[in-house]
Amino acid sequence: MERKALCPTPPMGWNTWNTFADNINEELIRTSADAMVEQGLLDAGYQYLVIDDCWDKKERDEEGRLVADPERFPSGMKALADYVHSKGLKFGMYSCCGTKTCAGYPGSFGHEFEDAEQFASWGVDYLKYDNCYKPRTQECALLYRRMGMALANCGRDIVFSACQWGTENVHEWIRSTGAHLFRSTGDIQDSWASIETLARSQMDKLAYGANYCHNDMDMLVVGIHGKAGNDFISAGGCTDEEYQTHFALWVMMNSPLMIGCDVRSMTAKTKEILTNRDLIAINQDIECRSAYRVQGNWSPDTFTLIKMLSGGDYAVAYFNFGDVAANVSLEFWDMGLPVRRDLGLEFYDCYTHETIGVKRETFAPVVPAHGSRVYRCRLVRTNG
Ligand code: GLA
């Protein structure tokens, strides 16, 4: 079979875990698939619908196959995949490299090749592959290599989403396993503290994600507002300002964008954040250049992330992690622009979708506490 090169840019979709955890069934999947289309998420680029942990029976069948829980998924996974595909979406599922999944369902250890074929026969397009219950004697890289080999040879194009949590220097070896994305962090929680911790943890690893193998900072909590699937994830919720900043960070840091809220009941603001086409275009820029960080002048909590885009534009994102509003500064020579009267940057505001004018040498907007501002900038020659 001729294989397509999958995931040139970070994958986008929706995953059941953050809001529903073990409370999943086929009705939820069908109605969420409907909502992804009706709410404009598919149009915005969110194409993968992924069922996380807790979809199967606690035991394999006599032939050693995984079996979908007949009470929650009475029509079976093939029929569900067909439904998801009929909506124009792609279908994702979940397994684990250990003997059990994190929630205690059968893992794929020792069954990698049969499971890959099983997923292919159901029409699966994406496999999230977790990291629990690993035999202690097995090197982690080997377990991911095994599933990478099995998926690449199962007869179907399946995105390999390695959920490795950032341990064992995963960024150094994961690309060699065939993974298209790799979780680089522990599990996200619905709180500003969690968002800040995960973002800071990856600031020095941005260069490890690239086309065809992306640094996955975990699924989004945008729009959950404290109503997550379990007590660990429900950590108080965030303000819309904080959700906006979370989305901007994941966009600028080239993370996959996997929605985690209930897409059937999003507020207008949640939908606006998740479907911001100017931000999505930055995340999906074909060259996938990693952003770099420039410290702000007046507070240790302020900084910019700058990402060069194909065609010569730049995405410039200002962040304020502090608890009070602050000016966040950027001098353009830190981007490489010489100080000359005839050169400037034209700023387009990706939140208001308006061009705000040409700036020379520096621009330092006021950014609210835990807030962000994102601009798309174009080099212009001016009359001095
Ligand atoms: C781990 C993963 C989560 C989720 C759960 C399911 O904690 O990191 O993203 O898949 O397992 O049990």
Side-chain angles (χ1 to χ4, degrees):
M1 184 186 103
E2 197 187 325
R3 295 195 75 230
K4 278 206 258 71
L6 302 173
C7 290
T9 59
M12 296 170 62
W14 174 76
N15 174 300
T16 53
W17 184 254
N18 280 351
T19 294
F20 298 99
D22 60 350
N23 188 18
I24 55 173
N25 57 48
E26 78 180 42
E27 182 62 13
L28 169 71
I29 303 305
R30 285 171 195 263
T31 51
S32 297
D34 296 346
M36 285 178 77
V37 177
E38 283 156 18
Q39 297 297 319
L41 296 175
L42 174 61
D43 273 352
Y46 296 95
Q47 57 171 336
Y48 292 100
L49 182 158
V50 182
I51 302 182
D52 208 282
D53 206 348
C54 310
W55 58 266
D56 47 353
K57 285 175 77 170
K58 285 268 166 104
E59 302 291 338
R60 290 174 178 266
D61 71 9
E62 311 78 66
E63 270 99 56
R65 283 179 304 224
L66 296 167
V67 184
D69 183 327
E71 278 171 27
R72 301 180 202 209
F73 295 96
S75 315
M77 286 303 170
K78 176 77 176 77
L80 197 51
D82 289 347
Y83 185 79
V84 170
H85 289 149
S86 77
K87 294 283 174 176
L89 294 160
K90 295 196 161 150
F91 184 56
M93 290 190 71
Y94 166 100
S95 188
C96 186
C97 71
T99 55
K100 289 187 211 172
T101 71
C102 299
Y105 293 79
S108 290
F109 178 74
H111 296 270
E112 290 86 353
F113 284 73
E114 304 94 281
D115 288 356
E117 276 165 31
Q118 177 79 77
F119 291 130
S121 75
W122 284 337
V124 168
D125 306 298
Y126 179 114
L127 181 70
K128 176 173 169 181
Y129 202 50
D130 219 331
N131 198 33
C132 282
Y133 293 101
K134 273 180 319 216
R136 285 183 200 280
T137 53
Q138 301 287 319
E139 193 201 350
C140 192
L142 182 65
L143 300 184
Y144 281 89
R145 278 189 196 126
R146 270 196 212 159
M147 189 47 106
M149 181 185 278
L151 288 174
N153 293 282
C154 71
R156 188 174 171 88
D157 287 324
I158 299 183
V159 171
F160 183 20
S161 164
C163 180
Q164 206 277 348
W165 317 325
T167 59
E168 299 171 65
N169 291 331
V170 62
H171 51 279
E172 290 177 359
W173 51 264
I174 193 68
R175 199 175 181 84
S176 69
T177 68
H180 298 100
L181 57 159
F182 60 99
R183 263 281 292 287
S184 52
T185 63
D187 288 12
I188 197 166
Q189 295 174 281
D190 187 15
S191 72
W192 170 252
S194 172
I195 291 165
E196 179 173 350
T197 302
L198 298 195
R200 285 193 194 276
S201 78
Q202 295 309 300
M203 286 291 169
D204 62 346
K205 307 247 169 27
L206 296 182
Y208 290 98
N211 300 74
Y212 309 108
C213 189
H214 306 277
N215 181 342
D216 174 6
M217 292 162 54
D218 204 358
M219 290 129 7
L220 300 166
V221 290
V222 175
I224 293 182
H225 289 295
K227 295 194 204 117
N230 62 36
D231 290 346
F232 173 79
I233 308 170
S234 286
C238 299
T239 63
D240 282 333
E241 186 79 50
E242 291 165 340
Y243 285 137
Q244 176 66 83
T245 302
H246 165 37
F247 192 69
L249 285 162
W250 267 233
V251 158
M252 291 297 297
M253 294 170 81
N254 291 349
S255 179
L257 301 175
M258 301 300 288
I259 297 171
C261 67
D262 186 343
V263 290
R264 303 166 306 173
S265 57
M266 292 181 289
T267 64
K269 187 66 191 173
T270 295
K271 194 166 141 182
E272 183 193 319
I273 293 170
L274 292 171
T275 59
N276 182 325
R277 281 164 201 263
D278 290 324
L279 287 194
I280 290 171
I282 293 168
N283 178 260
Q284 295 293 304
D285 187 80
I286 192 63
E287 291 184 7
C288 275
R289 297 194 184 277
S290 47
Y292 58 93
R293 181 181 187 276
V294 178
Q295 179 62 46
N297 281 338
W298 303 298
S299 155
D301 290 323
T302 63
F303 63 94
T304 46
L305 286 177
I306 297 154
K307 175 178 171 182
M308 190 182 191
L309 304 171
S310 48
D313 283 1
Y314 287 80
V316 176
Y318 292 77
F319 294 99
N320 176 11
F321 281 6
D323 295 333
V324 289
N327 280 98
V328 183
S329 62
L330 172 69
E331 279 82 36
F332 302 156
W333 53 80
D334 282 323
M335 298 171 63
L337 190 71
V339 181
R340 271 178 28 190
R341 291 300 300 162
D342 63 334
L343 291 179
L345 291 178
E346 184 182 76
F347 272 63
Y348 169 87
D349 186 327
C350 295
Y351 289 174
T352 62
H353 312 291
E354 286 165 352
T355 299
I356 59 165
V358 176
K359 315 277 177 199
R360 286 195 199 82
E361 291 191 23
T362 181
F363 179 48
V366 177
V367 179
H370 302 177
S372 57
R373 294 288 179 262
V374 182
Y375 302 91
R376 188 174 181 115
C377 298
R378 190 169 70 88
L379 186 70
V380 288
R381 287 171 203 283
T382 63
N383 292 328

